[in-house]
């Protein structure tokens, strides 16, 4: 059995490697014969062997938008995701990579040691590629319990996707749009993944939000896939605000931080590595994006959450312009409803997107102790400077929210 178990793992890892080698070889072969971007109009010059593929890919590149929101936990990605979810022509999925992570997290310690980071990222990319192709049945490889007749009741945060809570997938009460996620969880039962795939194909575009890709360089293979014409919206936030939000949301994991914040005494159990890793990933990803590598040309836009929260209409228009779509009236109405909420409403549900967005942007300054802020500034100094967030040198500076810590800094899309 020991030999058999190792053999299976080796075969799985080898299979992943072979898949991606084949994909890259095919991509290189096709792109060497098929013109890209604005040159698609010259299709008649293409080798007849590749003509049909080129025609399909060129049409896809011009018509269908594949959007990826890349972010880290508690950086405002749920809010940004809803700006795409509300568009009637977009099929939106909230964190589908969660299911891959769960399979890995629930596996034995021995298997976690064997399946390395590259294999996990390969699984992530493989799932994303299939989802962008509207193959939601591919998720069945990661759902527990295994779906019967392609139906599942364990689709993570199904209610965060309007398309999965509307006919023909669900016939729930559509009167209260603000409570759609909660109603969907109660009223919509099993999700038929085959039917969901068909619904996906009826939508002109697709958007996926994830906080489970560590760095943007991990998306290179997807970015280079000519069938996708991928548009990456990289959402970032002040790491001090990220930490404050995590402390308020994930109480059990940040209990030591909360004790430190309340008492001023730092417990020995405080784990600094998580926020340090977050800042390192941010710094590396932003550095890659701003260095403008050829594989990101026309595909990368950096967005600071604070600017989106303060001027949601303006920033949403910029994001949609980059993607190549018009802002639908449903999106505008949603922004109006969901950026003028009260702080009390925001506390009722930790993942709510209804709040006073302007007040939320830097509210962490009233909640974090100066000692914790100093610690984060020390750990994340390079990241804060890179992203244009000012440091504070005193408690008075920290609490003076009339002076924003978000510097005026332009991050133009890489086109």
């Amino acid at each position: 059995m020991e030999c058999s178990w190792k053999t299976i793992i080796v075969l799985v890892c080898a299979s992943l490697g072979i898949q991606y080698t084949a994909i890259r070889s095919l991509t290189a072969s096709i792109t060497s014969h098929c013109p890209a971007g604005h040159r698609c109009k010259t299709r008649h010059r293409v080798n007849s062997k590749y003509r049909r593929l080129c025609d399909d890919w060129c049409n896809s590149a011009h018509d269908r938008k594949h959007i990826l929101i890349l972010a880290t936990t508690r950086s405002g990605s749920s809010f940004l995701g809803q700006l795409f979810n509300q568009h009637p022509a977009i099929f939106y999925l909230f964190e589908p990579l969660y299911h891959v992570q769960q399979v890995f997290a629930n596996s034995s310690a021995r298997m976690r040691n064997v399946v390395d980071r590259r294999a996990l990222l390969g699984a992530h990319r493989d799932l994303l590629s299939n989802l962008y192709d509207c193959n939601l049945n591919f998720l069945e490889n990661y759902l527990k319990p295994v779906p019967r007749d392609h139906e599942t009741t364990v689709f993570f945060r199904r209610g965060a996707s309007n398309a999965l809570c509307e006919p023909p997938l669900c016939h729930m009460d559509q009167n209260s749009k603000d409570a759609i996620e909660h109603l969907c969880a109660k009223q919509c039962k099993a999700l038929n993944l085959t039917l969901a795939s068909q619904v996906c194909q009826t939508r002109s575009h697709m958007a996926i939000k994830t906080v489970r890709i560590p760095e943007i360089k991990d998306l290179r293979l997807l970015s280079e896939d000519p069938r996708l014409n991928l548009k990456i919206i990289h959402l970032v936030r002040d790491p001090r605000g990220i930490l404050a939000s995590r402390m308020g949301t994930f109480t059990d994991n940040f209990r030591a931080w909360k004790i430190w914040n309340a008492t001023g005494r730092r417990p020995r159990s405080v784990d600094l590595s998580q926020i340090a890793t977050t800042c390192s990933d941010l710094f590396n990803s932003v550095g890659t994006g701003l260095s403008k590598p050829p594989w990101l040309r026309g595909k990368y836009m950096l967005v600071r959450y604070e600017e989106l929260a303060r001027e949601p209409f303006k920033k949403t228009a910029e994001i949609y312009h980059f993607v190549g779509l018009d802002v639908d009236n449903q999106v505008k109405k949603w922004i109006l409803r969901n950026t003028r909420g009260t702080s009390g409403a925001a506390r009722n549900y930790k993942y709510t997107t209804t709040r006073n967005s302007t007040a939320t942007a830097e509210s962490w300054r009233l909640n974090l102790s100066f000692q914790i802020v100093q610690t984060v500034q020390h750990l994340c100094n390079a990241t804060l400077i890179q992203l244009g967030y000012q440091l504070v040198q005193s408690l008075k500076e920290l609490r003076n929210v009339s002076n924003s810590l978000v510097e005026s800094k332009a991050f133009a899309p890489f086109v």
Side-chain angles (χ1 to χ4, degrees):
M1 287 297 293
E2 184 70 19
C3 180
S4 176
W5 181 88
K6 287 185 177 180
T7 301
I8 291 172
I9 295 299
V10 170
L11 288 174
V12 168
C13 294
S15 175
L16 284 171
I18 291 170
Q19 277 188 52
Y20 286 102
T21 300
I23 290 172
R24 294 202 70 170
S25 298
L26 176 62
T27 297
S29 176
I30 296 300
T31 52
S32 67
H33 293 82
C34 179
H38 65 279
R39 292 179 293 159
C40 283
K41 295 179 180 178
T42 63
R43 290 196 291 268
H44 61 281
R45 299 177 184 174
V46 178
N47 186 316
S48 60
K49 177 181 176 182
Y50 296 95
R51 187 181 304 280
R52 185 171 179 180
L53 278 175
C54 289
D55 286 347
D56 290 344
W57 290 0
C58 288
N59 289 334
S60 174
H62 276 91
D63 300 329
R64 188 170 180 83
K65 313 296 181 184
H66 296 99
I67 305 156
L68 181 67
I69 300 170
L70 177 67
T72 189
T73 309
R74 306 309 296 175
S75 59
S77 58
S78 294
F79 179 84
L80 178 55
Q82 287 302 313
L83 297 180
F84 290 107
N85 186 37
Q86 303 307 314
H87 197 295
I90 295 177
F91 189 92
Y92 172 72
L93 290 179
F94 179 102
E95 297 294 342
L97 300 187
Y98 165 85
H99 296 288
V100 179
Q101 184 183 37
Q102 285 300 104
V103 169
F104 179 76
N106 293 333
S107 62
S108 67
R110 293 180 67 188
M111 182 170 289
R112 287 198 298 270
N113 290 334
V114 173
V115 181
D116 64 8
R117 179 178 180 273
R118 288 176 298 174
L120 183 61
L121 288 172
H124 283 161
R125 287 191 297 260
D126 203 21
L127 178 56
L128 287 173
S129 181
N130 276 274
L131 292 176
Y132 280 128
D133 199 34
C134 286
N135 179 14
L136 273 73
N137 292 103
F138 196 82
L139 272 167
E140 296 184 36
N141 296 307
Y142 304 103
L143 296 175
K144 302 295 181 183
V146 177
R148 296 184 60 183
D149 298 323
H150 308 296
E151 290 191 345
T152 181
T153 58
V154 294
F155 196 98
F156 180 61
R157 295 285 301 278
R158 172 185 179 179
S161 171
N162 289 349
L164 299 182
C165 298
E166 297 172 351
L169 294 173
C170 178
H171 298 274
M172 58 174 277
D173 181 6
Q174 298 290 322
N175 292 329
S176 179
K177 289 292 183 181
D178 292 332
I180 186 171
E181 180 162 0
H182 309 291
L183 290 175
C184 186
K186 292 181 179 179
Q187 298 183 22
C188 301
K189 304 303 180 183
L191 174 66
N192 187 307
L193 294 171
T194 300
L195 183 57
S197 298
Q198 295 170 0
V199 170
C200 174
Q201 292 169 357
T202 66
R203 300 285 179 112
S204 304
H205 317 290
M206 187 171 192
I208 295 175
K209 192 269 282 193
T210 183
V211 296
R212 291 172 169 83
I213 301 291
E215 295 184 25
I216 198 167
K217 66 181 181 181
D218 299 320
L219 296 171
R220 180 167 180 171
L221 283 178
L222 289 178
S223 179
E224 292 179 329
D225 188 336
R227 296 168 300 175
L228 292 184
N229 185 26
L230 191 65
K231 300 289 185 179
I232 302 171
I233 312 298
H234 188 190
L235 183 68
V236 299
R237 184 183 185 182
D238 189 322
R240 297 165 294 190
I242 290 175
L243 175 62
S245 184
R246 289 177 180 176
M247 288 170 59
T249 304
F250 309 116
T251 304
D252 291 341
N253 293 335
F254 287 85
R255 194 175 303 278
W257 283 93
K258 292 175 73 68
I259 293 173
W260 183 8
N261 198 48
T263 65
R265 295 190 298 273
R266 174 178 166 179
R268 293 183 178 180
S269 57
V270 167
D271 180 10
L272 302 180
S273 64
Q274 189 184 90
I275 191 64
T277 299
T278 294
C279 288
S280 176
D281 289 343
L282 274 174
F283 184 81
N284 293 334
S285 283
V286 172
T288 298
L290 298 184
S291 69
K292 300 183 177 181
W295 54 273
L296 278 180
R297 179 176 292 279
K299 303 181 180 187
Y300 179 77
M301 182 180 186
L302 179 68
V303 177
R304 290 189 295 186
Y305 164 71
E306 293 81 5
E307 293 175 316
L308 178 62
R310 286 178 183 170
E311 298 183 284
F313 286 100
K314 177 184 176 182
K315 209 65 188 177
T316 298
E318 292 176 5
I319 293 170
Y320 265 83
H321 177 74
F322 167 72
V323 170
L325 296 175
D326 293 326
V327 181
D328 188 82
N329 284 333
Q330 289 189 34
V331 178
K332 296 176 182 177
K333 291 178 181 178
W334 186 90
I335 293 174
L336 195 61
R337 287 198 312 268
N338 288 270
T339 58
R340 299 183 180 182
T342 63
S343 58
R347 285 195 297 267
N348 291 336
Y349 183 53
K350 64 183 179 180
Y351 295 112
T352 186
T353 52
T354 303
R355 63 194 74 194
N356 184 324
S357 60
T358 301
T360 301
E362 293 189 67
S363 61
W364 61 267
R365 297 172 62 180
L366 301 176
N367 302 322
L368 284 186
S369 70
F370 180 59
Q371 187 181 12
I372 288 181
V373 169
Q374 281 185 307
T375 300
V376 177
Q377 289 181 169
H378 175 71
L379 292 170
C380 303
N381 182 267
T383 306
L384 290 165
I385 294 173
Q386 178 194 54
L387 295 175
Y389 296 119
Q390 295 179 4
L391 308 182
V392 294
Q393 306 301 331
S394 67
L395 179 61
K396 183 178 179 181
E397 279 186 51
L398 175 63
R399 300 291 187 243
N400 184 12
V401 293
S402 60
N403 290 333
S404 175
L405 299 181
V406 183
E407 298 174 357
S408 178
K409 192 170 183 177
F411 293 100
F414 178 32
V415 296

